[in-house]
mmCIF file of all heavy atoms in Angstrom:
data_model
loop_
_atom_site.group_PDB
_atom_site.id
_atom_site.type_symbol
_atom_site.label_atom_id
_atom_site.label_comp_id
_atom_site.label_asym_id
_atom_site.label_seq_id
_atom_site.Cartn_x
_atom_site.Cartn_y
_atom_site.Cartn_z
ATOM 1 N N LEU G 1 55.985 -58.000 70.135
ATOM 2 C CA LEU G 1 56.871 -58.071 68.933
ATOM 3 C C LEU G 1 56.386 -59.108 68.014
ATOM 4 O O LEU G 1 56.385 -58.940 66.813
ATOM 5 C CB LEU G 1 58.286 -58.224 69.345
ATOM 6 C CG LEU G 1 58.931 -57.095 70.106
ATOM 7 C CD1 LEU G 1 60.357 -57.524 70.648
ATOM 8 C CD2 LEU G 1 59.044 -55.883 69.238
ATOM 9 N N LYS G 2 55.924 -60.251 68.553
ATOM 10 C CA LYS G 2 55.487 -61.344 67.645
ATOM 11 C C LYS G 2 54.204 -60.951 66.925
ATOM 12 O O LYS G 2 54.016 -61.174 65.756
ATOM 13 C CB LYS G 2 55.249 -62.577 68.499
ATOM 14 C CG LYS G 2 54.957 -63.865 67.730
ATOM 15 C CD LYS G 2 54.883 -65.119 68.611
ATOM 16 C CE LYS G 2 54.612 -66.346 67.763
ATOM 17 N NZ LYS G 2 55.751 -66.665 66.934
ATOM 18 N N ILE G 3 53.298 -60.318 67.651
ATOM 19 C CA ILE G 3 52.066 -59.874 67.053
ATOM 20 C C ILE G 3 52.350 -58.811 65.911
ATOM 21 O O ILE G 3 51.623 -58.874 64.829
ATOM 22 C CB ILE G 3 51.107 -59.200 68.128
ATOM 23 C CG1 ILE G 3 50.568 -60.274 69.060
ATOM 24 C CG2 ILE G 3 49.928 -58.433 67.459
ATOM 25 C CD1 ILE G 3 49.896 -59.743 70.202
ATOM 26 N N SER G 4 53.350 -58.081 66.096
ATOM 27 C CA SER G 4 53.690 -56.988 65.046
ATOM 28 C C SER G 4 54.609 -57.552 64.012
ATOM 29 O O SER G 4 55.114 -56.754 63.128
ATOM 30 C CB SER G 4 54.288 -55.843 65.690
ATOM 31 O OG SER G 4 55.515 -56.181 66.373
ATOM 32 N N ASP G 5 54.874 -58.825 63.989
ATOM 33 C CA ASP G 5 55.733 -59.482 63.001
ATOM 34 C C ASP G 5 57.138 -58.941 62.988
ATOM 35 O O ASP G 5 57.810 -58.894 61.933
ATOM 36 C CB ASP G 5 55.149 -59.377 61.601
ATOM 37 C CG ASP G 5 53.882 -60.279 61.424
ATOM 38 O OD1 ASP G 5 53.842 -61.367 62.036
ATOM 39 O OD2 ASP G 5 52.943 -59.814 60.809
ATOM 40 N N SER G 6 57.664 -58.478 64.135
ATOM 41 C CA SER G 6 59.021 -57.959 64.222
ATOM 42 C C SER G 6 60.008 -59.046 64.287
ATOM 43 O O SER G 6 59.720 -60.159 64.865
ATOM 44 C CB SER G 6 59.131 -57.043 65.488
ATOM 45 O OG SER G 6 60.460 -56.718 65.712
ATOM 46 N N ARG G 7 61.222 -58.880 63.809
ATOM 47 C CA ARG G 7 62.288 -59.905 63.894
ATOM 48 C C ARG G 7 63.124 -59.756 65.168
ATOM 49 O O ARG G 7 64.068 -60.410 65.365
ATOM 50 C CB ARG G 7 63.140 -59.883 62.686
ATOM 51 C CG ARG G 7 64.034 -58.658 62.419
ATOM 52 C CD ARG G 7 64.633 -58.680 61.102
ATOM 53 N NE ARG G 7 65.613 -57.623 60.864
ATOM 54 C CZ ARG G 7 66.944 -57.782 60.954
ATOM 55 N NH1 ARG G 7 67.445 -58.938 61.127
ATOM 56 N NH2 ARG G 7 67.774 -56.792 60.678
ATOM 57 N N ARG G 8 62.776 -58.733 66.010
ATOM 58 C CA ARG G 8 63.508 -58.471 67.165
ATOM 59 C C ARG G 8 63.304 -59.533 68.208
ATOM 60 O O ARG G 8 62.300 -60.289 68.195
ATOM 61 C CB ARG G 8 63.064 -57.126 67.754
ATOM 62 C CG ARG G 8 63.398 -55.917 66.894
ATOM 63 C CD ARG G 8 62.622 -54.732 67.382
ATOM 64 N NE ARG G 8 63.148 -54.251 68.745
ATOM 65 C CZ ARG G 8 62.544 -53.359 69.477
ATOM 66 N NH1 ARG G 8 61.379 -52.803 69.068
ATOM 67 N NH2 ARG G 8 63.055 -52.979 70.570
ATOM 68 N N LYS G 9 64.314 -59.746 69.027
ATOM 69 C CA LYS G 9 64.278 -60.847 70.077
ATOM 70 C C LYS G 9 64.316 -60.265 71.460
ATOM 71 O O LYS G 9 64.764 -59.151 71.717
ATOM 72 C CB LYS G 9 65.440 -61.815 69.896
ATOM 73 C CG LYS G 9 65.452 -62.519 68.563
ATOM 74 C CD LYS G 9 66.618 -63.407 68.399
ATOM 75 C CE LYS G 9 66.621 -64.167 67.075
ATOM 76 N NZ LYS G 9 67.848 -65.053 66.878
ATOM 77 N N VAL G 10 63.828 -61.049 72.433
ATOM 78 C CA VAL G 10 63.809 -60.574 73.849
ATOM 79 C C VAL G 10 64.565 -61.644 74.632
ATOM 80 O O VAL G 10 64.363 -62.835 74.488
ATOM 81 C CB VAL G 10 62.397 -60.480 74.380
ATOM 82 C CG1 VAL G 10 62.374 -60.043 75.793
ATOM 83 C CG2 VAL G 10 61.548 -59.425 73.494
ATOM 84 N N PHE G 11 65.429 -61.139 75.493
ATOM 85 C CA PHE G 11 66.230 -61.986 76.365
ATOM 86 C C PHE G 11 65.976 -61.529 77.809
ATOM 87 O O PHE G 11 65.929 -60.385 78.091
ATOM 88 C CB PHE G 11 67.757 -61.887 76.082
ATOM 89 C CG PHE G 11 68.067 -62.228 74.691
ATOM 90 C CD1 PHE G 11 68.007 -61.245 73.640
ATOM 91 C CD2 PHE G 11 68.525 -63.493 74.343
ATOM 92 C CE1 PHE G 11 68.332 -61.605 72.339
ATOM 93 C CE2 PHE G 11 68.904 -63.827 73.065
ATOM 94 C CZ PHE G 11 68.793 -62.824 72.007
ATOM 95 N N VAL G 12 65.810 -62.520 78.743
ATOM 96 C CA VAL G 12 65.558 -62.153 80.116
ATOM 97 C C VAL G 12 66.376 -63.057 80.956
ATOM 98 O O VAL G 12 66.510 -64.284 80.730
ATOM 99 C CB VAL G 12 64.052 -62.260 80.493
ATOM 100 C CG1 VAL G 12 63.479 -63.617 80.254
ATOM 101 C CG2 VAL G 12 63.783 -61.819 81.880
ATOM 102 N N LEU G 13 67.027 -62.464 82.011
ATOM 103 C CA LEU G 13 67.857 -63.256 82.865
ATOM 104 C C LEU G 13 67.169 -63.390 84.274
ATOM 105 O O LEU G 13 66.846 -62.338 84.887
ATOM 106 C CB LEU G 13 69.252 -62.602 83.051
ATOM 107 C CG LEU G 13 70.281 -63.186 84.012
ATOM 108 C CD1 LEU G 13 70.498 -64.651 83.733
ATOM 109 C CD2 LEU G 13 71.592 -62.346 83.970
ATOM 110 N N VAL G 14 66.921 -64.609 84.655
ATOM 111 C CA VAL G 14 66.190 -64.889 85.814
ATOM 112 C C VAL G 14 67.085 -65.596 86.882
ATOM 113 O O VAL G 14 67.869 -66.475 86.500
ATOM 114 C CB VAL G 14 65.021 -65.829 85.590
ATOM 115 C CG1 VAL G 14 64.216 -66.193 86.831
ATOM 116 C CG2 VAL G 14 64.024 -65.123 84.553
ATOM 117 N N GLY G 15 67.019 -65.272 88.130
ATOM 118 C CA GLY G 15 67.843 -65.923 89.158
ATOM 119 C C GLY G 15 67.085 -67.171 89.710
ATOM 120 O O GLY G 15 65.887 -67.277 89.679
ATOM 121 N N ASP G 16 67.894 -68.102 90.185
ATOM 122 C CA ASP G 16 67.327 -69.360 90.676
ATOM 123 C C ASP G 16 66.495 -69.092 91.993
ATOM 124 O O ASP G 16 65.494 -69.719 92.180
ATOM 125 C CB ASP G 16 68.383 -70.404 90.859
ATOM 126 C CG ASP G 16 69.458 -70.065 91.885
ATOM 127 O OD1 ASP G 16 69.596 -68.908 92.277
ATOM 128 O OD2 ASP G 16 70.292 -71.041 92.244
ATOM 129 N N GLY G 17 67.062 -68.108 92.823
ATOM 130 C CA GLY G 17 66.208 -67.806 93.992
ATOM 131 C C GLY G 17 64.962 -67.122 93.603
ATOM 132 O O GLY G 17 63.861 -67.375 94.243
ATOM 133 N N GLU G 18 64.999 -66.279 92.622
ATOM 134 C CA GLU G 18 63.822 -65.534 92.084
ATOM 135 C C GLU G 18 62.836 -66.505 91.649
ATOM 136 O O GLU G 18 61.557 -66.194 91.692
ATOM 137 C CB GLU G 18 64.259 -64.586 90.969
ATOM 138 C CG GLU G 18 63.149 -63.869 90.299
ATOM 139 C CD GLU G 18 63.649 -63.026 89.131
ATOM 140 O OE1 GLU G 18 64.747 -63.310 88.635
ATOM 141 O OE2 GLU G 18 62.962 -62.121 88.790
ATOM 142 N N ALA G 19 63.227 -67.701 91.130
ATOM 143 C CA ALA G 19 62.252 -68.706 90.594
ATOM 144 C C ALA G 19 61.448 -69.342 91.677
ATOM 145 O O ALA G 19 60.534 -70.111 91.355
ATOM 146 C CB ALA G 19 63.050 -69.770 89.864
ATOM 147 N N ASN G 20 61.586 -68.925 92.978
ATOM 148 C CA ASN G 20 60.653 -69.294 93.967
ATOM 149 C C ASN G 20 59.372 -68.535 93.908
ATOM 150 O O ASN G 20 58.381 -68.852 94.550
ATOM 151 C CB ASN G 20 61.279 -69.115 95.367
ATOM 152 C CG ASN G 20 62.179 -70.220 95.786
ATOM 153 O OD1 ASN G 20 62.680 -70.206 96.961
ATOM 154 N ND2 ASN G 20 62.570 -71.183 94.951
ATOM 155 N N GLU G 21 59.366 -67.482 93.055
ATOM 156 C CA GLU G 21 58.187 -66.650 92.853
ATOM 157 C C GLU G 21 57.283 -67.293 91.864
ATOM 158 O O GLU G 21 57.736 -67.653 90.728
ATOM 159 C CB GLU G 21 58.553 -65.263 92.362
ATOM 160 C CG GLU G 21 59.389 -64.457 93.354
ATOM 161 C CD GLU G 21 58.564 -63.819 94.415
ATOM 162 O OE1 GLU G 21 57.311 -64.019 94.395
ATOM 163 O OE2 GLU G 21 59.218 -63.155 95.300
ATOM 164 N N GLY G 22 56.027 -67.466 92.193
ATOM 165 C CA GLY G 22 55.083 -68.056 91.314
ATOM 166 C C GLY G 22 54.903 -67.419 89.939
ATOM 167 O O GLY G 22 54.555 -67.957 88.881
ATOM 168 N N THR G 23 55.117 -66.023 89.961
ATOM 169 C CA THR G 23 54.933 -65.226 88.748
ATOM 170 C C THR G 23 55.899 -65.634 87.664
ATOM 171 O O THR G 23 55.610 -65.546 86.407
ATOM 172 C CB THR G 23 55.153 -63.786 89.031
ATOM 173 O OG1 THR G 23 56.369 -63.579 89.778
ATOM 174 C CG2 THR G 23 54.013 -63.177 89.858
ATOM 175 N N VAL G 24 57.051 -66.233 88.055
ATOM 176 C CA VAL G 24 57.981 -66.688 87.057
ATOM 177 C C VAL G 24 57.336 -67.780 86.203
ATOM 178 O O VAL G 24 57.431 -67.795 84.939
ATOM 179 C CB VAL G 24 59.313 -67.240 87.757
ATOM 180 C CG1 VAL G 24 60.206 -67.924 86.777
ATOM 181 C CG2 VAL G 24 60.051 -66.094 88.375
ATOM 182 N N TRP G 25 56.792 -68.766 86.881
ATOM 183 C CA TRP G 25 56.180 -69.891 86.147
ATOM 184 C C TRP G 25 54.893 -69.588 85.501
ATOM 185 O O TRP G 25 54.601 -70.147 84.406
ATOM 186 C CB TRP G 25 56.017 -71.132 87.144
ATOM 187 C CG TRP G 25 57.387 -71.381 87.781
ATOM 188 C CD1 TRP G 25 57.825 -71.064 89.038
ATOM 189 C CD2 TRP G 25 58.503 -71.973 87.167
ATOM 190 N NE1 TRP G 25 59.111 -71.391 89.208
ATOM 191 C CE2 TRP G 25 59.523 -71.979 88.122
ATOM 192 C CE3 TRP G 25 58.756 -72.509 85.880
ATOM 193 C CZ2 TRP G 25 60.778 -72.504 87.764
ATOM 194 C CZ3 TRP G 25 59.957 -73.044 85.552
ATOM 195 C CH2 TRP G 25 61.013 -73.055 86.540
ATOM 196 N N GLU G 26 54.203 -68.588 86.041
ATOM 197 C CA GLU G 26 52.932 -68.133 85.285
ATOM 198 C C GLU G 26 53.391 -67.555 83.972
ATOM 199 O O GLU G 26 52.716 -67.695 82.904
ATOM 200 C CB GLU G 26 52.177 -67.151 86.151
ATOM 201 C CG GLU G 26 51.506 -67.799 87.333
ATOM 202 C CD GLU G 26 50.996 -66.803 88.326
ATOM 203 O OE1 GLU G 26 51.176 -65.515 88.112
ATOM 204 O OE2 GLU G 26 50.379 -67.240 89.321
ATOM 205 N N ALA G 27 54.453 -66.722 84.016
ATOM 206 C CA ALA G 27 54.930 -66.069 82.810
ATOM 207 C C ALA G 27 55.473 -67.113 81.780
ATOM 208 O O ALA G 27 55.206 -66.966 80.588
ATOM 209 C CB ALA G 27 56.051 -65.129 83.160
#
């Protein structure tokens, strides 16, 4: 969306247990 200059926003809800996954911090 940023590349396309859109004004749309993205929201994501992450769990604290889920944050044990390394992919969370890589993202």
Side-chain angles (χ1 to χ4, degrees):
L1 291 171
K2 190 175 181 66
I3 290 171
S4 62
D5 292 322
S6 171
R7 67 190 187 104
R8 297 168 65 192
K9 297 179 180 179
V10 179
F11 301 84
V12 59
L13 179 53
V14 177
D16 61 348
E18 178 182 19
N20 280 186
E21 296 282 358
T23 50
V24 170
W25 304 103
E26 290 170 357

